[in-house]
Amino acid sequence: MKNATKCLHAGYTPKNSEPRVVPIVQSTTYVYDNTEEVAAVFDDPTKSLIYSRFANPTVMAVEEKIAALEGGVGAMCTTSGQAATLLSVLNICEAGDSIISTTEIYGGTVNLFAFTLKKMGIECIFIDRNASDEEIHAAFKPNTKLVFGETIANPALTVLDISRFAAIAHAHHVPLIVDNTFATPILCKPIEFGADIVVHSTSKYMDGHAVQVGGVIVDSGNFDWESGNFPGITEPDESYHGLCYTKQYGKMAYILKARMQLMRDFGVYPAAHSAFLLNLGLETLSVRMKQYCENAAVVAKYLAQNDKVERVIYPGLPGDACYALAQKYLKGASGVISFVVKGGKEAAMRFMNSLKLASNEVHVADIRTCVLHPASETHRQLTDEQLVAAGIEAGMVRFSVGLEDVDDILADLEQAFAKV
Ligand SMILES: *Cc1c(COP(=O)(O)O)cnc(C)c1O
């Protein structure tokens, strides 16, 4: 099946007389005829359902759809993108380990990696996306367990050279984890370029309608965990009566460990109703992504020609620093455009306050056009050095082009610029 078909049909195939639409199974638990059967399910929870803290039929239909779209062997949904990133790391890292991440990542992920993981004894070594292979190789330590980057970085809008980072990670026998939130599997499938694990905030384009906060982890099934680097996956799990994930589940080892061990312990599993809403968004993801890209290309061109704009960052724009990478990795550059208004922070804020159609909100990738000021909002907690490293300037505006008629979006921009 192609993307558009998977969006509609993957993950749920009703049988004779069953509901056409994925049903909302809003139940915490599942009934069995006898205790022996319940015991058997505890021994191998992949066979049936026990408790909705870590598995639920509505959520699992969505997981299967996303795994199919990304080309992975399995997926696990979480209550937020942040939870997905956290669990994707904790699944293979513990106190005393280190990870490597590019600097141009989502602000929330910077906080998680630089501060919260540090308190948990996991060190993050940040590297410049443009560092040479030698420099990146030199950042590895014997305890490094993974490399992390974003396909299209939020909000720097730089494009990750996925194949290069995958090759470097694999040379050190560690996986590459890619946050594919902005691209979605419609515009890029990181697994095809060597990424081992893909994470998403489903709160963004996947949902698209701003009705649920969620995340997902997708396992490619391709990474070889047997290097000796990952005893948590290859050795018996004493918290699961000696279960050995690689032996028992082969290619599904990583994603099933995440569910059976971490989701069991942390319980950050979405409600069935949230998964139902996410599924509605996913059904139209393919058509929506095409239109976001089309609208954004027009808006980016308009901004590039506007003399009140210092600089436009949109990897789909010829001349953009990441244009060549976008051509290689993306089937479209998404609907998000960053630009720097001449006159710095004050001018940027005056411009933003003058917008009428585009709403000021802490969100992105919505069906409606929205705008935010990273330096004073989403990335407010970052130090000046971290802001520079994340590619954020004081006058930078992050403009998320929606699915309104593009002429109306341009008219709104025009009247707001007139007030700057
Ligand atoms: C929003 C976002 C996140 C965090 O997701 P939440 O669902 O808000 O927790 C992670 N990565 C990227 C790229 C994002 O845009």
Side-chain angles (χ1 to χ4, degrees):
M1 285 194 275
K2 299 274 191 351
N3 281 337
T5 317
K6 282 181 187 166
C7 282
L8 289 163
H9 294 283
Y12 177 68
T13 312
K15 296 188 201 75
N16 189 38
S17 85
E18 285 182 354
R20 172 62 277 186
V21 177
V22 175
I24 302 174
V25 182
Q26 194 75 32
S27 178
T28 55
T29 192
Y30 309 87
V31 180
Y32 289 89
D33 286 341
N34 55 58
T35 39
E36 287 79 6
E37 272 192 62
V38 180
V41 181
F42 266 98
D43 278 344
D44 188 352
T46 60
K47 297 277 187 288
S48 203
L49 294 158
I50 308 176
Y51 192 52
S52 292
R53 194 204 305 131
F54 41 79
N56 166 280
T58 314
V59 186
M60 288 169 98
V62 174
E63 291 169 341
E64 218 178 289
K65 177 173 287 187
I66 296 172
L69 281 165
E70 285 287 10
V73 292
M76 182 177 77
C77 284
T78 57
T79 46
S80 69
Q82 286 298 99
T85 305
L86 173 66
L87 294 198
S88 76
V89 171
L90 290 187
N91 205 28
I92 45 175
C93 284
E94 56 186 48
D97 287 338
S98 69
I99 66 173
I100 290 177
S101 172
T102 59
T103 53
E104 286 166 343
I105 52 173
Y106 174 64
T109 312
V110 174
N111 283 333
L112 172 65
F113 286 180
F115 300 103
T116 303
L117 284 187
K118 191 174 174 188
K119 286 183 206 155
M120 298 167 75
I122 298 168
E123 179 198 14
C124 181
I125 300 152
F126 287 98
I127 47 138
D128 189 324
R129 182 180 58 83
N130 289 315
S132 69
D133 285 7
E134 292 69 34
E135 286 171 297
I136 303 171
H137 282 300
F140 280 82
K141 296 184 183 181
N143 66 1
T144 301
K145 293 294 161 72
L146 63 91
V147 177
F148 187 95
E150 285 179 22
T151 309
I152 304 177
N154 174 11
L157 302 186
T158 50
V159 179
L160 186 72
D161 192 344
I162 301 172
S163 306
R164 180 166 91 99
F165 277 83
I168 294 171
H170 296 161
H172 295 268
H173 307 290
V174 303
L176 173 66
I177 303 184
V178 171
D179 181 336
N180 198 34
T181 298
F182 272 20
T184 81
I186 306 304
L187 304 182
C188 177
K189 296 185 199 296
I191 292 171
E192 289 178 358
F193 298 105
D196 303 286
I197 307 296
V198 176
V199 295
H200 284 273
S201 164
T202 61
S203 327
K204 314 294 167 57
Y205 284 123
M206 280 195 172
D207 167 329
H209 301 72
V211 290
Q212 60 90 50
V213 172
V216 68
I217 306 173
V218 184
D219 183 356
S220 69
N222 295 333
F223 191 76
D224 178 11
W225 301 105
E226 304 280 359
S227 62
N229 248 347
F230 301 99
I233 287 196
T234 56
E235 300 298 317
D237 177 358
E238 60 177 313
S239 81
Y240 219 107
H241 48 65
L243 180 90
C244 175
Y245 296 101
T246 39
K247 266 201 206 101
Q248 183 97 13
Y249 298 118
K251 282 184 171 303
M252 303 272 287
Y254 174 94
I255 200 69
L256 286 176
K257 174 181 180 285
R259 188 187 296 274
M260 293 165 66
Q261 187 190 71
L262 294 187
M263 196 55 91
R264 175 198 65 188
D265 296 353
F266 288 107
V268 284
Y269 202 61
H273 188 250
S274 294
F276 176 84
L277 293 172
L278 171 57
N279 187 53
L280 290 182
L282 286 168
E283 289 184 332
T284 58
L285 184 65
S286 175
V287 261
R288 283 189 293 110
M289 290 316 291
K290 281 195 199 94
Q291 191 62 43
Y292 284 121
C293 293
E294 210 173 283
N295 282 4
V298 176
V299 172
K301 210 166 141 201
Y302 161 84
L303 291 168
Q305 289 162 355
N306 192 309
D307 58 12
K308 296 205 167 139
V309 174
E310 195 174 293
R311 192 157 78 81
V312 180
I313 305 144
Y314 184 65
L317 205 59
D320 185 89
C322 287
Y323 184 71
L325 285 169
Q327 294 297 303
K328 175 171 178 188
Y329 291 108
L330 308 176
K331 292 197 166 70
S334 92
V336 189
I337 303 169
S338 288
F339 58 95
V340 180
V341 180
K342 280 183 190 162
K345 185 174 171 175
E346 254 171 61
M349 288 185 144
R350 207 169 332 124
F351 162 79
M352 288 176 58
N353 292 343
S354 306
L355 288 165
K356 289 185 176 136
L357 183 66
S359 45
N360 261 285
E361 61 189 42
V362 180
H363 193 42
V364 66
D366 190 7
I367 204 161
R368 291 147 288 234
T369 297
C370 57
V371 67
L372 72 72
H373 188 243
S376 64
E377 296 170 12
T378 46
H379 291 65
R380 192 177 183 80
Q381 278 116 31
L382 267 57
T383 62
D384 288 349
E385 297 81 59
Q386 284 175 326
L387 283 175
V388 172
I392 296 155
E393 293 165 46
M396 186 185 271
V397 172
R398 192 186 68 188
F399 197 80
S400 176
V401 179
L403 299 187
E404 298 91 349
D405 191 293
V406 73
D407 289 343
D408 292 325
I409 300 171
L410 293 179
D412 191 32
L413 287 166
E414 188 72 15
Q415 65 82 24
F417 276 122
K419 299 193 177 105
V420 175

